[in-house]
Amino acid sequence: QVQLVESGGGLVQAGGSLRLSCVASGTFLSLDTMGWYRQAPGNQRELVARITVGGSTNYADSVKGRFTISRDNTRKTMYLQMNSLKPEDTAVYYCNADVFRLGRSSNYWGQGTQVTVSS
């Protein structure tokens, strides 16, 4: 089995910063592309940022210049540094990863961590 566990969410004032972490555990050969998604009440889940195993990244337009995604392949961990937070960033943030195990790639989700930005 594979588990993705997020941490680092919380309540912060507008303009503040938070750093999210996602740790992968379980039995698998390797982690491929990983990403952060978010879902606000009443909205669909949307991509925030994604990073390949080689470190290539892409971001949603709404977070470009404010958020930075990174990963530590040795530690099986992905991060999301969020700066200049806005109330519209309030959402549950989910970790997502393509994991190669048992001869094939499968996609996994974490349980999410709440980020609340007050105005």
Side-chain angles (χ1 to χ4, degrees):
Q1 282 287 15
V2 176
Q3 282 191 318
L4 301 176
V5 179
E6 304 97 335
S7 62
L11 173 64
V12 64
Q13 288 188 330
S17 298
L18 284 174
R19 188 193 195 206
L20 305 184
S21 299
C22 170
V23 180
S25 64
T27 304
F28 54 88
L29 183 63
S30 63
L31 293 167
D32 198 352
T33 297
M34 301 181 74
W36 289 99
Y37 290 73
R38 68 186 180 186
Q39 188 168 17
N43 291 357
Q44 290 188 332
R45 192 171 296 188
E46 63 176 4
L47 173 69
V48 176
R50 193 161 44 200
I51 184 168
T52 68
V53 66
S56 296
T57 60
N58 65 286
Y59 295 89
D61 287 343
S62 59
V63 307
K64 282 181 182 177
R66 300 188 297 122
F67 291 9
T68 302
I69 190 171
S70 61
R71 63 191 287 170
D72 183 333
N73 293 327
T74 300
R75 296 179 183 271
K76 304 175 184 178
T77 302
M78 175 179 64
Y79 306 97
L80 185 68
Q81 179 66 44
M82 305 186 293
N83 299 329
S84 303
L85 282 161
K86 304 175 181 180
E88 51 263 43
D89 295 318
T90 296
V92 177
Y93 283 70
Y94 296 91
C95 172
N96 178 269
D98 291 324
V99 181
F100 195 78
R101 65 189 294 265
L102 301 177
R104 64 187 182 97
S105 181
S106 300
N107 189 258
Y108 292 86
W109 290 93
Q111 291 190 327
T113 185
Q114 176 71 46
V115 172
T116 303
V117 184
S118 64
S119 58

